[in-house]
Amino acid sequence: MTTSVAFIGLGVMGYPMAGHLQRAGYDVCVYNRTFAKAEKWQKEFSGRVAETPAAAAKGAEVVFVCVGNDSDVRSVVYGDSGALAGMSAGTILVDHTTASADLARELAEAAAKHSVAFLDAPVSGGQAGADNGQLTVMLGGEASDLLQISAMLETYSRHVGLQGPVGSGQLAKMVNQICIAGVVQGLAEGLQFAKNAGLDQEKLVAAISKGSAGSWQMENRSKTMWEGEFDFGFAVDWMRKDLQIALKEANKNGSRLPVTALIDQFYADVQVNGGSRYDTSSLITRFQTK
């Protein structure tokens, strides 16, 4: 079993994910751009900390990255202090960041020059999923590489699925975000209609959630949407980043995403109205803005 790993990026997702690895018995060394966050993680989980991605990756058999966007990934992977500079031949680089498929292919080529394997592995499940070890991991790459790290992924996941060659994990995550956006907008419109019609939210959801209108969003977010609570981890800013990635990819592969493009602009409305850090269920606030 691989025991020495590095985890680069301790945001709302990476922080608990690295913690699950450490608690499962892996020897984890973490890096975070805000070093105080790494020190806090060390106090909580008793792992190791490093001052650069290269230092964290030195001696690690697997290096996990979970940061914000394409440019963030490049900043921690490339260069003299980047993760690849510290990785040895035969090791594996795993990118959990939700990023572009083009970046995944670029990283695979760069890793190959160092004789390092690469898997793109974006996750779904939000902060709660990361905290509870219930994430879904969508991967692109070689099955043999996934086999080597599957036990690690299972420490913070409930489902791990190889979608195809490098880039396929990111493409699958785009589909995930496209579907979520449509469901949340439909739920927001339905709940606003219900309010205006004078319906009881609990009775309504108890009835329709058991039929074909039911969804994870309805089960987990309808009550908080009704009550105007939007502090559940995955921010509007990040959702817009993800939808922009999907829309750009759609332009390249000839897909038509009219609803996704519209909902992306609805999220822009939420940002303008001060909801950049609200979670994605905050689409309903558009109906409440005067």
Side-chain angles (χ1 to χ4, degrees):
M1 183 181 73
T2 299
T3 57
S4 181
V5 303
F7 206 103
I8 298 169
L10 300 176
V12 295
M13 304 294 286
Y15 191 101
M17 291 163 73
H20 287 301
L21 285 166
Q22 181 68 25
R23 285 177 171 164
Y26 296 99
D27 176 21
V28 182
C29 183
V30 300
Y31 166 80
N32 194 65
R33 283 176 292 189
T34 304
F35 192 68
K37 189 75 172 288
E39 292 179 311
K40 178 184 176 184
W41 183 91
Q42 183 183 40
K43 290 179 181 178
E44 183 174 350
F45 296 106
S46 301
R48 296 179 291 118
V49 300
E51 294 189 355
T52 67
K58 186 176 178 61
E61 296 176 64
V62 181
V63 176
F64 297 92
V65 176
C66 189
V67 290
N69 54 37
D70 286 27
S71 61
D72 293 329
V73 175
R74 291 187 177 99
S75 73
V76 298
V77 170
Y78 297 148
D80 292 341
S81 62
L84 280 177
M87 297 181 72
S88 302
T91 57
I92 302 175
L93 176 63
V94 182
D95 186 19
H96 281 312
T97 310
T98 296
S100 68
D102 286 343
L103 176 65
R105 300 179 189 112
E106 173 192 315
L107 290 172
E109 290 185 12
K113 293 177 181 177
H114 291 259
S115 299
V116 170
F118 175 78
L119 292 162
D120 57 296
V123 299
S124 178
Q127 184 175 355
D131 288 341
N132 298 322
Q134 294 292 302
L135 293 171
T136 293
V137 186
M138 297 155 272
L139 296 107
E142 296 294 330
S144 57
D145 296 326
L146 171 57
L147 183 62
Q148 294 185 58
I149 67 165
S150 59
M152 295 181 181
L153 298 177
E154 288 169 3
T155 66
Y156 46 77
S157 307
R158 64 177 177 179
H159 178 78
V160 176
L162 185 65
Q163 304 299 313
V166 166
S168 299
Q170 297 295 354
L171 293 171
K173 180 61 183 288
M174 293 175 208
V175 175
N176 186 79
Q177 302 305 74
I178 290 166
C179 294
I180 288 174
V183 170
V184 174
Q185 177 62 21
L187 182 58
E189 292 183 13
L191 291 177
Q192 185 62 24
F193 178 93
K195 276 193 174 186
N196 291 343
L199 295 175
D200 180 281
Q201 180 265 336
E202 291 188 5
K203 293 179 180 178
L204 172 69
V205 172
I208 68 174
S209 65
K210 303 303 183 290
S212 57
S215 66
W216 185 96
Q217 297 291 339
M218 181 176 290
E219 291 281 359
N220 292 274
R221 293 289 178 263
S222 59
K223 188 174 189 297
T224 52
M225 289 171 72
W226 190 276
E227 296 174 353
E229 300 172 2
F230 308 110
D231 185 21
F232 297 96
F234 191 70
V236 167
D237 282 349
W238 292 116
M239 185 59 158
R240 284 214 71 203
K241 182 265 293 184
D242 291 358
L243 293 181
Q244 287 294 312
I245 291 172
L247 290 166
K248 184 176 180 180
E249 186 69 30
N251 286 334
K252 291 167 55 179
N253 69 22
S255 299
R256 297 179 61 204
L257 303 179
V259 173
T260 303
L262 183 61
I263 297 170
D264 176 58
Q265 291 306 301
F266 291 166
Y267 276 121
D269 293 343
V270 177
Q271 288 176 316
V272 169
N273 291 318
S276 293
R277 302 306 302 170
Y278 289 169
D279 74 81
T280 53
S281 67
S282 58
L283 279 175
I284 198 170
T285 61
R286 294 182 59 256
F287 301 116
Q288 301 161 354
T289 302
K290 303 299 182 182

